[in-house]
Amino acid sequence: MRPALFPIMLMVFLCGCREFTDPKFDLGDRKLIVVPFREPAAKLWYGASPRGQGLAEAFRMWVENEWASNFDDSPEAAEAVRNLANWTGDKIITEDWKRLLIEVEADALIIGEILEFKHKQPNDVNIFQGSAKMKYEVINCRTGKPLYRSPEREVKFPVQGETDVPISVFEYQNKPQEIELGLIRTLGERLGKDLYGYYHR
């Protein structure tokens, strides 16, 4: 009896130590296409923004590390993303989405915008902390209709807490790319947590 009970007791112990935050919108096991975000302020369309590409890659990395990977890497999905990158209109309506996604096997597509990106705040003097804002949509690949539209989501880097503290002026002068990369990574993680939920202590 004792060996059989041990795994159950271990699971209860582990679950008791970690809490789960529910997703803002639960993607579940839907198969995904992720489009590199655009940056309207920099006039960079989908696929043209290095930050948008980095955000999509950071999101994918977070999902693959935390959950089972379920991305559509087919040629059809890649073609849909290329067609979107070459889109000449200023907006995309439901019928457009249905044409763009007609060949793909994915269930949902994630698309979004980086609304703001700051390496430091206006009142920063000796300590710098970057911030960034984004919004995104989850599109149903079958109907072309939105499944979810997010509000503005803001992240900061570094986060002042037990281990991460804002970077001093001296560190920032030598390592400005740390805030750039940290913000991009944190945006990707925020997207993952919004759509899958996450465990924390």
Side-chain angles (χ1 to χ4, degrees), residues 99-156:
R99 287 195 297 273
L100 281 166
L101 303 173
I102 191 169
E103 299 291 337
V104 305
E105 295 182 2
D107 303 301
L109 176 141
I110 300 170
I111 192 167
E113 302 176 1
I114 298 174
L115 302 172
E116 184 179 277
F117 203 97
K118 295 179 179 178
H119 292 87
K120 63 178 183 176
Q121 306 309 306
N123 295 325
D124 284 346
V125 180
N126 294 321
I127 296 294
F128 290 146
Q129 185 177 58
S131 65
K133 294 179 182 179
M134 67 176 174
K135 67 178 181 179
Y136 57 88
E137 290 185 58
V138 181
I139 304 294
N140 186 316
C141 291
R142 303 286 174 267
T143 65
K145 295 181 179 180
L147 293 168
Y148 175 73
R149 287 191 176 107
S150 80
E152 284 190 10
R153 302 292 281 146
E154 182 177 17
V155 302
K156 294 181 179 180

Side-chain angles (χ1 to χ4, degrees), residues 163-193:
T163 57
D164 297 321
V165 296
I167 294 175
S168 75
V169 63
F170 304 106
E171 292 176 294
Y172 180 75
Q173 286 174 346
N174 295 324
K175 303 175 183 177
Q177 70 275 15
E178 287 193 5
I179 290 182
E180 175 86 13
L181 296 175
L183 283 172
I184 292 169
R185 185 183 69 247
T186 307
L187 283 170
E189 291 175 356
R190 179 73 273 160
L191 181 60
K193 290 176 178 179

Side-chain angles (χ1 to χ4, degrees), residues 36-53 85 112-114:
F37 282 25
R38 71 184 183 119
E39 278 191 273
K43 296 182 172 55
L44 295 174
W45 187 247
Y46 302 108
S49 165
R51 289 172 179 163
Q53 293 171 8
E113 302 176 1
I114 298 174

Side-chain angles (χ1 to χ4, degrees), residues 38-87:
R38 71 184 183 119
E39 278 191 273
K43 296 182 172 55
L44 295 174
W45 187 247
Y46 302 108
S49 165
R51 289 172 179 163
Q53 293 171 8
L55 194 165
E57 291 168 6
F59 165 73
R60 179 171 181 141
M61 185 177 297
W62 185 90
V63 173
E64 290 176 340
N65 286 339
E66 299 291 331
W67 305 95
S69 176
N70 198 21
F71 294 94
D72 186 349
D73 293 322
S74 66
E76 292 78 12
E79 180 67 17
V81 173
R82 281 194 297 272
N83 289 338
L84 181 57
N86 294 323
W87 193 257

